[in-house]
Amino acid sequence: MNSILFTRPEHDPTTHYLSHWCKESIILAESKGVKVLDLNREKATKIEVENRLTKFSPKLVVLNGHGNENTVTGHKNEPLITINDNEKLLKDKIVYAISCRSAKNLGPKSVSAGAINYSGYDDDFVFIYEPENFSRPLLDNTAKMFLEHSQIYVESLIKGNTIDEALKRSKQNLKDNFVKALSENNTNTLRFLWWDLKHLVSHGKVDAKLE
């Protein structure tokens, strides 16, 4: 595995949480000797993403940010990868987008353009957080119920599992948290965990792994 690209904007509460929940995956990758291309905060721009994809051709691309059916955004919602613009740069790459809706159109289009796989959400990705833990996202147990599955997916790939195995582990975590919320009769958490599970999808090859 030559390298992994992470985009981690942090300009609002959503991206702040997503960015922090990616840190342990970055630490794991580095501990295994993998080169990490970490585009954090102001570095999460289109030109920086395109430069890294072109120069280093990372095997895994993890996109944290907002999005819609046709794009994933970075710092201050600047479009990073967009349909009919630069999705061809994802050729021969495994992509995971922790963003709203991008797996609906951008996912299949990226695979058509040569991406090995594109996993993400075909509708809004929803999570709840505790305002009192905003400055300590990794100690936020409510947010953990929604964000841990993404960490499990990325780290499963880093550990050498196939995309299918990583997805199964990720979805199982959401299911386990759903059961926990059910036992606590936590209606809002239940509803949104089920929503995220329902809309986590994968396009392309699922038997591939990082090498």
Side-chain angles (χ1 to χ4, degrees), residues 26-91:
I26 290 173
I27 292 170
L28 175 65
E30 290 176 335
S31 74
K32 292 185 173 296
V34 178
K35 182 177 180 60
V36 171
L37 311 169
D38 183 19
L39 298 181
N40 187 210
R41 298 183 178 179
E42 293 83 1
K43 291 182 179 179
T45 63
K46 180 181 179 181
I47 189 168
E48 292 288 351
V49 168
E50 291 184 337
N51 284 344
R52 299 304 192 283
L53 289 173
T54 302
K55 183 176 180 179
F56 296 100
S57 193
K59 187 66 178 287
L60 175 61
V61 178
V62 182
L63 304 170
N64 293 278
H66 293 288
N68 59 41
E69 291 88 345
N70 300 321
T71 191
V72 176
T73 66
H75 182 61
K76 293 187 176 179
N77 300 328
E78 177 184 351
L80 302 180
I81 302 293
T82 305
I83 279 181
N84 297 326
D85 178 21
N86 59 356
E87 76 276 9
K88 62 184 178 296
L89 293 177
L90 300 178
K91 185 177 185 295

Side-chain angles (χ1 to χ4, degrees), residues 5-204:
L5 172 66
F6 292 87
T7 64
R8 296 192 302 125
E10 291 186 32
H11 59 273
D12 63 10
T14 297
T15 53
H16 172 75
Y17 265 76
L18 296 183
S19 175
H20 280 268
W21 271 90
C22 247
K23 285 183 177 179
E24 290 187 12
S25 300
I26 290 173
I27 292 170
L28 175 65
E30 290 176 335
S31 74
K32 292 185 173 296
V34 178
K35 182 177 180 60
V36 171
L37 311 169
D38 183 19
L39 298 181
N40 187 210
R41 298 183 178 179
E42 293 83 1
K43 291 182 179 179
T45 63
K46 180 181 179 181
I47 189 168
E48 292 288 351
V49 168
E50 291 184 337
N51 284 344
R52 299 304 192 283
L53 289 173
T54 302
K55 183 176 180 179
F56 296 100
S57 193
K59 187 66 178 287
L60 175 61
V61 178
V62 182
L63 304 170
N64 293 278
H66 293 288
N68 59 41
E69 291 88 345
N70 300 321
T71 191
V72 176
T73 66
H75 182 61
K76 293 187 176 179
N77 300 328
E78 177 184 351
L80 302 180
I81 302 293
T82 305
I83 279 181
N84 297 326
D85 178 21
N86 59 356
E87 76 276 9
K88 62 184 178 296
L89 293 177
L90 300 178
K91 185 177 185 295
D92 298 327
K93 296 166 179 57
I94 295 171
V95 184
Y96 180 40
I98 311 167
S99 69
C100 292
R101 298 178 179 268
S102 74
K104 185 172 183 178
N105 294 336
L106 178 58
K109 193 67 182 290
S110 297
V111 171
S112 295
I116 295 170
N117 179 278
Y118 189 112
S119 295
Y121 307 85
D122 63 7
D123 209 314
D124 290 341
F125 171 63
V126 184
F127 71 92
I128 302 170
Y129 68 90
E130 302 163 2
E132 63 271 23
N133 277 316
F134 182 77
S135 63
R136 303 172 299 173
L138 297 180
L139 298 181
D140 187 331
N141 288 324
T142 301
K144 179 179 181 180
M145 297 182 77
F146 294 90
L147 300 178
E148 188 177 35
H149 79 279
S150 294
Q151 186 182 74
I152 287 171
Y153 178 75
V154 174
E155 293 185 3
S156 292
L157 291 176
I158 293 171
K159 291 174 181 177
N161 294 293
T162 65
I163 293 167
D164 185 54
E165 291 167 337
L167 278 170
K168 286 177 179 175
R169 293 181 184 188
S170 178
K171 290 184 176 183
Q172 187 60 51
N173 175 259
L174 281 173
K175 292 174 183 176
D176 291 344
N177 288 338
F178 179 85
V179 171
K180 179 181 178 182
L182 184 62
S183 69
E184 297 171 350
N185 197 27
N186 192 329
T187 308
N188 268 346
T189 301
L190 269 174
R191 181 160 57 101
F192 293 132
L193 283 169
W194 183 255
W195 177 270
D196 289 343
L197 177 61
K198 177 182 177 182
H199 292 288
L200 174 56
V201 299
S202 187
H203 302 281

